[in-house]
Amino acid sequence: MKITQKTYLLLGVIIGISAVNLFLLLSISQENLDVLHSISAASNLKVIVERIAGTANSIASGNEFDRQTLADEISNFDQTYAILGSGGQSQGVTIVPAPSELQPVYSQIGSSWQDYKQSAEKIRQESVFDPKVEEALTYVLGKNGDLTSLTNGVVNDLTPLDRNYNKHKMIATEMVSIAQDIGQKTLLVSIGEGGNATQAIEKDTVTFDGDLKNLEGIPLDSPDYAKYGITQENLQPIPRENSSSLRDLDPLWQAEQAKLLFIENNTLISKEFGSALSHLDTQRGVLLDNTSQFVDKWNQLVDSELNHNVIIVQGLLIVDIAAFVTVMFSIRKSLSPLHILTNAIARVREGFYDEKIDYTSNDEIGELAGAFNSMSSAILKKEEEARKIEVAKDEFLAMITHELKTPLVPIQGYSDILLGEHLGPLSKNQKDRLEVIRSSAVSLLQLISDLLDAQKLELGQLRIKKSNHNIKETIENTIVVMKPQALADKIQLTHNLNRDMYANYDDERIIQVLTNLIKNSLKATSPTTGKVEVLVEENSKEITVSVKDNGRGIPADAIDKVFKKFYQVDTSSTRESGGSGLGLSICKGIVEAHGGRIWVQSEVNKGSVFSLTIPREESSKTPV
């Protein structure tokens, strides 16, 4: 079977398994989500119960508008309870019916709810306050102003009397304060915020009555007076002309006292409403307990069902893992020949062109292996042909350069003899022509030497004869050779080395490198202002020699190319100065043959610095 067909088949298997798993997981997830919504609805029953209790207390506080709120909450509980029994939609979510295992607890909730609902309905319908108590409160509040006014009148009536009536005045002043307090406490009871106001009213009533009887000279025959520390006072009778307010106060107080006693002995909230509120509070605990039990047991069932679903999911995961392992094994088996093919390609990249792949399956990789074997054979054949051509080219170039060099030597030699007038005197015109011949022969010899050196570097045949040399002497010998050219162009040529420094290198080859670098710097600098320096630095591992000039510099895009064979910076002055473009390439080959490095730093119109390193391995310092 083709790999593509096998891949499509395996992908189809994976997609099919994934689709089944996704369907099952979505079904389980949706089922769990619906159950969680149902449990949330069951938990909401407790919230509704608490709301009903809170609304009932609000109605008890006199908020009549909450009666409709109570009716809505009762209806909300009925609807939620009913949908938990049958299932359905609630507020946009699906509610599943309570499991059969929970039906007994579900029925207990219904039973306790009916009792709770009956009390809630009674609270919703019954009047909150006792009409008789309300009437008594209304009377007291209405008459309290008269009571306070008359007690103030008693104080005013007693004011003209002498000091024998000081006790009377104190009692009258106390009665004014008590009358005002009775009004305040009665008002609190009337608005449902009395708290302990009823007990305070009882104390005020007994105290006010005792004070009034002491002023009237009536005996205190009730044990209630002693309860609040009120004792009989032996007071001097009040003159009739100063007791008019006291006489008016007595009947008013008798009527108001009866109302106050009724308020003390009866609650503002009606007995029917209070009984329903008390029963509601008792049933609330039972209903909440049944609802909590229902929710807890449903959660336990969910946990049990969740464990069952976990087992299903684990089974699906095992099936998935087995399927994926099978698929991966099959894919790996199908693609394993690619490793062999990759290794064979890597061998070809390393230059081993006779590699063959032993793979015979009739699939895409088999076809690729066959094509690779054919390609490998073709490359090997072409490589052998190219190698033969290269050898022939190298031999031809070596032979040509050698043969060209042979006749140039006598040309240069006889030119020197003629210019020296060893064979007779010459005219100026003849000398000029011979000088051209000699200069051309020298240039051609240099070109041929560069070609030979480049060819030897290419073939790895350039011989480096290392020995211990003094780098100072090497630099000085080079400068001696290049000094005439520098003087002719009025260019400063100096070096900074003032002590001996030794290393192992081929003296002639390093002189050849330095000569080439200095010659290039002399060409790049301007006469009279030019300056070329040879700088030397050292460390324990190597010596660095740099040739620095203040010439025209090298463009940034040419710096990476200057050490390539036959490359020349494209400037008119370079072309006028000639050159084969092999000098820096040969310098690079010689330096690297010594195990060193060569590089250049340059900036246009600011100059260049060519640097090379000479390793110091096996060198010895010999004092001069």
Side-chain angles (χ1 to χ4, degrees):
M1 182 183 292
K2 294 288 188 180
I3 293 178
T4 51
Q5 296 174 347
K6 188 184 296 184
T7 302
Y8 290 146
L9 177 61
L10 294 175
L11 287 175
V13 171
I14 293 175
I15 292 172
I17 293 175
S18 300
V20 172
N21 291 347
L22 181 62
F23 175 76
L24 292 175
L25 289 174
L26 287 177
S27 299
I28 293 174
S29 175
Q30 185 60 48
E31 180 181 346
N32 290 337
L33 186 62
D34 293 342
V35 171
L36 290 176
H37 287 153
S38 302
I39 294 177
S40 177
S43 299
N44 195 45
L45 291 177
K46 296 192 292 183
V47 177
I48 299 173
V49 169
E50 295 289 2
R51 287 177 179 171
I52 289 174
T55 305
N57 288 323
S58 178
I59 294 172
S61 299
N63 297 318
E64 291 294 323
F65 293 107
D66 284 338
R67 293 183 184 274
Q68 182 57 47
T69 302
L70 183 60
D72 294 339
E73 289 168 350
I74 293 171
S75 175
N76 189 11
F77 190 100
D78 282 333
Q79 292 174 3
T80 304
Y81 179 76
I83 201 170
L84 285 172
S86 59
Q89 293 288 324
S90 175
Q91 297 180 353
V93 298
T94 301
I95 305 297
V96 299
S100 57
E101 298 91 331
L102 300 180
Q103 286 303 317
V105 185
Y106 178 77
S107 298
Q108 289 177 4
I109 293 176
S111 176
S112 57
W113 164 244
Q114 291 304 319
D115 292 339
Y116 192 78
K117 178 181 178 181
Q118 184 177 1
S119 298
E121 288 286 359
K122 194 170 184 180
I123 289 171
R124 187 177 68 83
Q125 296 170 5
E126 288 289 340
S127 174
V128 178
F129 302 115
D130 188 329
K132 294 182 179 180
V133 176
E134 284 186 307
E135 185 272 331
L137 287 169
T138 302
Y139 180 85
V140 170
L141 290 174
K143 294 296 182 178
N144 188 256
D146 296 338
L147 182 68
T148 303
S149 177
L150 285 174
T151 52
N152 282 318
V154 173
V155 172
N156 293 331
D157 289 343
L158 295 174
T159 299
L161 298 178
D162 58 22
R163 62 182 180 179
N164 292 326
Y165 292 92
N166 286 343
K167 183 64 175 179
H168 298 72
K169 296 175 184 179
M170 292 175 57
I171 293 173
T173 302
E174 182 183 44
M175 290 174 64
V176 173
S177 176
I178 293 173
Q180 293 173 349
D181 193 59
I182 287 173
Q184 294 174 358
K185 296 296 189 298
T186 305
L187 179 62
L188 289 176
V189 172
S190 69
I191 62 176
E193 296 185 6
N196 297 324
T198 304
Q199 295 178 357
I201 290 174
E202 179 184 356
K203 179 181 178 180
D204 287 344
T205 302
V206 173
T207 303
F208 191 93
D209 187 66
D211 288 344
L212 180 60
K213 285 183 178 181
N214 275 323
L215 290 177
E216 292 176 334
I218 299 174
L220 303 180
D221 52 1
S222 173
D224 292 339
Y225 301 116
K227 176 180 176 182
Y228 294 104
I230 302 171
T231 59
Q232 185 72 52
E233 300 284 349
N234 294 318
L235 301 176
Q236 186 173 340
I238 300 172
R240 183 173 180 79
E241 60 271 17
N242 296 99
S243 61
S244 59
S245 295
L246 186 63
R247 291 192 299 272
D248 293 337
L249 177 62
D250 184 77
L252 176 62
W253 170 246
Q254 295 302 323
E256 188 168 338
Q257 184 183 23
K259 298 296 184 182
L260 289 171
L261 290 174
F262 186 81
I263 292 171
E264 292 171 13
N265 296 320
N266 296 275
T267 60
L268 179 61
I269 296 176
S270 69
K271 293 181 179 179
E272 290 78 6
F273 188 90
S275 175
L277 189 63
S278 176
H279 187 69
L280 184 79
D281 187 61
T282 302
Q283 289 298 319
R284 180 172 66 89
V286 177
L287 182 55
L288 288 175
D289 289 342
N290 289 336
T291 306
S292 296
Q293 186 179 4
F294 178 72
V295 173
D296 292 342
K297 288 189 175 182
W298 203 343
N299 278 321
Q300 292 174 4
L301 286 177
V302 170
D303 290 340
S304 176
E305 187 67 23
L306 182 61
N307 292 332
H308 177 68
N309 291 338
V310 168
I311 294 174
I312 294 176
V313 172
Q314 289 175 345
L316 292 175
L317 288 176
I318 292 173
V319 173
D320 291 345
I321 292 172
F324 291 150
V325 168
T326 303
V327 169
M328 292 301 297
F329 177 78
S330 179
I331 292 175
R332 182 175 180 180
K333 183 177 179 181
S334 299
L335 299 180
S336 59
L338 290 177
H339 180 67
I340 300 173
L341 184 59
T342 302
N343 290 338
I345 293 173
R347 294 277 293 172
V348 170
R349 186 171 60 248
E350 293 171 1
F352 299 94
Y353 300 117
D354 57 345
E355 290 294 316
K356 293 292 186 293
I357 298 175
D358 186 13
Y359 187 81
T360 57
S361 295
N362 188 24
D363 55 20
E364 292 91 339
I365 295 180
E367 296 173 359
L368 184 59
F372 176 84
N373 290 338
S374 299
M375 179 194 71
S376 180
S377 298
I379 291 176
L380 179 60
K381 183 178 178 181
K382 296 293 184 182
E383 179 66 18
E384 290 175 351
E385 293 176 356
R387 189 180 297 113
K388 290 178 181 179
I389 294 172
E390 189 69 23
V391 170
K393 182 192 73 172
D394 292 339
E395 291 176 351
F396 175 75
L397 184 58
M399 183 265 297
I400 289 297
T401 53
H402 182 269
E403 292 300 324
L404 287 173
K405 188 175 183 180
T406 300
L408 283 174
V409 173
I411 293 174
Q412 183 182 4
Y414 280 111
S415 296
D416 291 336
I417 292 173
L418 290 172
L419 284 171
E421 297 183 350
H422 296 293
L423 300 179
L426 298 173
S427 65
K428 184 180 181 306
N429 191 30
Q430 289 172 330
K431 286 183 178 182
D432 291 341
R433 300 300 184 270
L434 282 173
E435 183 62 38
V436 172
I437 294 172
R438 189 188 69 81
S439 176
S440 299
V442 170
S443 298
L444 189 55
L445 275 172
Q446 183 61 48
L447 177 59
I448 292 171
S449 295
D450 289 347
L451 286 171
L452 282 172
D453 286 343
Q455 190 62 24
K456 289 177 181 178
L457 286 170
E458 188 77 20
L459 297 175
Q461 297 175 354
L462 186 68
R463 298 180 65 182
I464 301 297
K465 299 177 182 179
K466 290 184 180 182
S467 60
N468 195 39
H469 291 285
N470 186 347
I471 193 67
K472 179 182 177 185
E473 292 180 358
T474 301
I475 293 173
E476 288 176 346
N477 292 337
T478 305
I479 290 179
V480 167
V481 174
M482 299 304 300
K483 198 72 172 180
Q485 182 178 342
L487 291 174
D489 294 334
K490 298 180 181 180
I491 296 173
Q492 295 183 32
L493 177 58
T494 60
H495 71 87
N496 72 333
L497 188 59
N498 54 15
R499 63 184 180 84
D500 295 333
M501 194 179 296
Y502 292 87
N504 281 302
Y505 59 89
D506 187 327
D507 185 57
E508 293 183 3
R509 290 299 183 181
I510 293 301
I511 289 176
Q512 179 182 351
V513 172
L514 293 176
T515 300
N516 193 294
L517 295 179
I518 294 173
K519 185 186 297 183
N520 288 344
S521 292
L522 291 173
K523 292 178 181 179
T525 54
S526 301
T528 68
T529 60
K531 185 177 181 181
V532 178
E533 298 176 90
V534 181
L535 308 174
V536 182
E537 298 177 358
E538 69 169 334
N539 57 41
S540 60
K541 295 183 179 180
E542 61 187 14
I543 296 173
T544 302
V545 182
S546 301
V547 177
K548 179 180 179 182
D549 64 65
N550 61 349
R552 66 181 64 89
I554 302 172
D557 59 349
I559 287 178
D560 295 335
K561 305 173 184 177
V562 293
F563 293 105
K564 294 181 179 180
K565 287 196 302 183
F566 302 111
Y567 180 79
Q568 299 185 40
V569 179
D570 189 17
T571 63
S572 59
S573 61
T574 299
R575 300 309 302 157
E576 290 171 1
S577 300
S580 63
L582 293 171
L584 290 178
S585 175
I586 293 170
C587 290
K588 183 174 184 293
I590 292 173
V591 172
E592 291 179 350
H594 280 80
R597 298 170 291 115
I598 186 169
W599 68 95
V600 62
Q601 295 172 299
S602 183
E603 190 172 349
V604 176
N605 296 326
K606 291 188 178 181
S608 304
V609 181
F610 281 85
S611 302
L612 62 98
T613 61
I614 302 174
R616 305 188 72 165
E617 291 88 345
E618 302 178 3
S619 65
S620 61
K621 294 184 178 180
T622 305
V624 178

